[in-house]
Amino acid sequence: MKDIILTGDRPTGNLHLGHYVGSVLNRVKLQNQGGYEKFYIMIADTQALTDNAERVDRVKNNIIQVAIDYISAGIDTSKVNIFIQSLVPELFEMTSYFMNFVSVSRLQRNPTIKDEIKQRGFERTIPIGFLNYPVSQASDILAFGTTVVPVGEDQLPMIEQTREIVNSFNNIYKPKEEVFRLPKALLPEEQICRRLPGLDGKVKMSKSVGNAIYLCDDEKTIKEKVMSAYTDPDHIRVSDPGKIEGNIVFSYLDAFASDDDFKKYLPEYKNLEELKEHYKKGGLGDVKVKLFLNNILQELLAPIREKRRYLEEHINDIYELLFENSKKASTQAHIILDKMKDAMGLDYTKLLK
Ligand code: TRP
């Protein structure tokens, strides 16, 4: 059987470079490789509301922003179904059944949930919907027969939870035919792309922390952000030896620089190794390295921004596509939901004689 691919993002803001190298790039690659049966990208608005209940407008307005980010970054809507989570009610029905297999303490042990509880100050009171979102995410994945989930590292616990739910379902209901396929995560190959650090060097790049470069940032903003990136605080004079570890500019070069970029923008060096050696020895200033990174990022982001400008004039068409795609997704999810209820013995129509 061919793979079914599904992934998604919460529409709480525009996509940034962490999303780009951590998942969008991987999706574009997969999309162009072909060989899959279906490919879905879900805009997870309902999940976004689990910690934005009072900010409905923010979530609502970001749906189109995220869709534009995807398409301008290279997602081809003739190959990929981009849909809106809340327009597929089957997902929430499925979640209701799955909730019976998962304990509160299991959810509290989920490392991503743990981090997010801290970040959001939910230690004293956790909204049930928030704690439950890994279960809801299992429905997102299972309702479409997904086998491959291209995500960043922080989503691994969600895939693990999904697999546990499949196993619990199979143990309890012993379906005669397979209802759910076991999904696996697909991480970016490069370690640095799995968790791109933020400009401040403290945590991963994140819209809630404000340490991100966005796909829609203009030229001036990108340059300002690059010039402000955290480097080595002990590298004060150009002649000082510098540290690479924890130096965000070098982390980004790891993620974005190619040997061709050296030919084009910094021909005195053959590759990143040479540049790093020089920095470590001393005699290479931060500004030069930052300007190099800036050139690379400007070249990457200019065409994306250009495409975005065009898409922003066709917002209605994009909404229509999202609505139509969501209907298709709903039809698809309904098939698996029916199979699930059959396997559970919830097929009440059979009671009619
Ligand atoms: N939790 C993901 C995020 O925060 C979004 C998401 C929701 C998702 N449902 C999904 C990702 C299903 C992969 C598969 O970005």
Side-chain angles (χ1 to χ4, degrees):
M1 265 202 285
K2 283 187 183 171
D3 278 321
I4 296 177
I5 307 170
L6 180 138
T7 184
D9 297 285
R10 299 177 201 172
T12 50
N14 281 102
L15 299 185
H16 53 60
L17 287 179
H19 296 117
Y20 184 77
V21 291
S23 66
V24 179
L25 206 54
N26 231 351
R27 297 174 194 179
V28 174
K29 240 191 257 158
L30 279 174
Q31 153 197 293
N32 295 335
Q33 270 164 16
Y36 46 84
E37 187 180 325
K38 288 217 167 71
F39 195 153
Y40 299 96
I41 300 182
M42 191 182 78
I43 302 181
D45 58 333
T46 310
Q47 187 176 112
L49 287 172
T50 63
D51 62 345
N52 284 285
E54 310 86 15
R55 290 179 288 265
V56 175
D57 276 349
R58 173 171 175 213
V59 172
K60 183 165 75 180
N61 298 332
N62 274 306
I63 291 175
I64 192 76
Q65 288 302 317
V66 170
I68 290 176
D69 279 334
Y70 290 150
I71 303 169
S72 55
I75 295 296
D76 175 349
T77 55
S78 71
K79 296 191 173 124
V80 176
N81 175 326
I82 306 176
F83 71 95
I84 302 174
Q85 183 184 24
S86 66
L87 297 183
V88 182
E90 288 79 5
L91 298 176
F92 310 105
E93 187 173 346
M94 205 174 258
T95 301
S96 303
Y97 301 118
F98 288 161
M99 284 165 75
N100 301 330
F101 317 146
V102 184
S103 69
V104 171
S105 61
R106 175 67 187 90
L107 292 168
Q108 285 169 328
R109 277 200 308 275
N110 180 314
T112 300
I113 293 285
K114 267 193 188 165
D115 281 353
E116 289 176 338
I117 285 176
K118 252 190 244 140
Q119 263 180 33
R120 291 166 180 57
F122 281 162
E123 284 101 335
R124 275 156 46 94
T125 51
I126 313 172
I128 294 175
F130 180 80
L131 189 63
N132 193 53
Y133 91 69
V135 181
S136 166
Q137 189 159 334
S139 306
D140 303 339
I141 295 169
L142 296 174
F144 300 97
T146 307
T147 52
V148 176
V149 190
V151 279
E153 208 163 42
D154 60 329
Q155 296 299 303
L156 288 178
M158 310 305 163
I159 314 293
E160 192 49 42
Q161 179 70 73
T162 305
R163 295 170 64 93
E164 282 178 34
I165 287 175
V166 174
N167 290 330
S168 302
F169 181 86
N170 290 341
N171 282 332
I172 298 170
Y173 299 109
K174 308 205 164 32
K176 288 189 201 75
E177 277 170 50
E178 183 184 65
V179 178
F180 299 119
R181 296 164 79 184
L182 276 177
K184 38 178 204 304
L186 182 71
L187 295 173
E189 275 162 35
E190 309 257 352
Q191 190 61 35
I192 182 70
C193 297
R194 296 183 181 182
R195 194 175 255 271
L196 194 71
L199 288 162
D200 55 1
K202 291 204 185 93
V203 285
K204 71 166 187 169
M205 191 175 276
S206 155
K207 45 201 161 196
S208 50
V209 182
N211 60 0
I213 296 177
Y214 292 92
L215 299 185
C216 60
D217 277 345
D218 62 30
E219 197 176 332
K220 187 163 160 270
T221 310
I222 295 166
K223 185 160 180 193
E224 277 167 12
K225 287 182 178 175
V226 170
M227 298 319 278
S228 78
Y230 181 85
T231 56
D232 170 6
D234 299 325
H235 184 242
I236 297 162
R237 266 162 307 209
V238 173
S239 56
D240 290 340
K243 262 204 301 293
I244 304 290
E245 301 86 57
N247 185 320
I248 295 311
V249 177
F250 280 99
S251 305
Y252 291 176
L253 288 176
D254 277 331
F256 294 101
S258 68
D259 291 355
D260 277 349
D261 292 321
F262 278 93
K263 270 195 213 118
K264 207 182 303 173
Y265 299 118
L266 212 56
E268 313 91 283
Y269 302 88
K270 241 206 316 291
N271 53 33
L272 191 52
E273 280 325 298
E274 269 190 30
L275 189 73
K276 284 181 182 173
E277 280 315 311
H278 191 186
Y279 192 81
K280 282 194 267 190
K281 243 185 13 221
L284 174 58
D286 280 347
V287 171
K288 185 162 178 176
V289 187
K290 283 178 167 174
L291 287 174
F292 176 50
L293 174 65
N294 177 58
N295 281 330
I296 295 173
L297 294 182
Q298 298 289 359
E299 182 179 330
L300 172 74
L301 295 174
I304 297 179
R305 208 165 44 230
E306 197 55 39
K307 206 152 168 212
R308 162 173 272 277
R309 215 169 290 143
Y310 169 83
L311 293 166
E312 276 172 348
E313 282 162 22
H314 296 81
I315 290 213
N316 253 326
D317 297 342
I318 302 174
Y319 273 124
E320 274 171 17
L321 179 71
L322 293 179
F323 297 155
E324 203 183 299
N325 281 348
S326 303
K327 271 194 207 131
K328 285 188 197 153
S330 166
T331 306
Q332 212 54 45
H334 213 97
I335 298 172
I336 294 191
L337 177 64
D338 279 345
K339 262 201 215 170
M340 171 192 190
K341 289 166 76 174
D342 264 359
M344 291 171 72
L346 284 171
D347 40 1
Y348 295 150
T349 52
K350 290 193 183 140
L351 296 173
L352 282 172
K353 291 277 151 45

